[in-house]
């Protein structure tokens, strides 16, 4: 096994934390999301801003310098919405099999550009759902090689939207996927993606 492949994510990572540890870590990530959103929505007084900054700094200090990334929980709790990381909005994947996936997501003002969702935030969700589809059902681990996004209409914040993804075709190690984000049956954003499965003999 190469040094690189030891660091590849695996669904076996689900065993890295006890149920109690998973619950407490998820609560921490939820609180972080709440803090991101609260800061975005706020217009605090000078003293409230200073006090909130001090509390956030105290929390960061409490958590310390952290563990090596091979031991961290953030982003590795695959079956939790958002995988227990605050980069992307929490995506609820309701169905995923070898060929398609379906989920739901609600963007908030933290991910907003001007009134609608930021154009750079939408690929986060496509990468999540297509990444999950590309690697599920026993498929080898694959990395995102190419994404093309078409922004058809603005995506509203504070509104649950549906996300669909499917495998269009497979050519050797290459998986061609497509995905769309819909509201009330209307496609707001669509994405074409290429995932490439990692070589067994990385050069
Ligand atoms: C538990 C899990 C939970 C999973 C849940 C996880 C959800 C989140 C998922 C997040 C996933 C990510 O964001 S991953 C992070 C973002 N992505 C990356 O960092 C990838 C960086 N790039 C790479 O590592 C590499 O370029 C690879 C692995 C993509 C490809 O390298 P390689 O393996 O050496 O393959 P290579 O020979 O170059 O190419 C193989 C074939 O693919 C084609 N190809 C390669 N790149 C491209 C490209 N950009 N556009 C078109 N075609 C391309 C080549 O032409 C070739 O076609 P042909 O000649 O054979 O026809």
């Amino acid at each position: 096994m190469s040094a690189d492949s030891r660091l590849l994510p695996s669904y076996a990572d689900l065993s890295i934390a006890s149920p109690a540890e998973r619950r407490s870590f998820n609560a921490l990530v939820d609180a972080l999301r709440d803090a991101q959103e609260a800061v975005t929505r706020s217009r605090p007084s000078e003293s409230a801003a200073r006090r909130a900054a001090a509390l956030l700094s105290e929390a960061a200090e409490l958590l310390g310098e952290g563990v090596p990334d091979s031991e961290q929980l953030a982003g590795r709790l695959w079956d939790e919405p958002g995988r227990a990381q605050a980069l992307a909005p929490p995506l609820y994947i309701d169905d995923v099999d070898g060929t398609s996936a379906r989920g739901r997501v609600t963007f908030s003002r933290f991910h907003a550009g001007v009134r609608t969702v930021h154009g750079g935030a939408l690929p986060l969700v496509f990468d999540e759902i297509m990444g999950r589809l590309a690697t599920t059902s026993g498929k080898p681990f694959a990395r995102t090689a190419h994404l093309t996004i078409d922004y058809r209409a603005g995506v509203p914040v504070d509104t649950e939207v549906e996300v669909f993804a499917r495998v269009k075709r497979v050519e050797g190690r290459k998986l061609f996927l497509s995905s769309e984000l819909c509201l009330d049956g209307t496609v707001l954003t669509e994405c074409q993606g290429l995932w490439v499965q990692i070589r067994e003999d990385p050069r």
Side-chain angles (χ1 to χ4, degrees), residues 36-56:
Q36 289 176 158
E37 185 63 13
V39 170
T40 304
R41 288 179 181 257
S42 70
R43 185 161 173 176
S45 67
E46 203 174 319
S47 65
R50 286 187 198 288
R51 176 77 182 121
L55 289 169
L56 290 172

Side-chain angles (χ1 to χ4, degrees), residues 10-11 78 83 127 135 144-145 173-174 194 196 199 203:
S10 157
Y11 287 107
W78 314 115
R83 293 186 291 127
D127 205 34
T135 55
T144 322
R173 291 190 293 128
K174 295 192 291 186
L194 168 65
V196 177
R199 295 172 185 278
R203 290 180 291 190

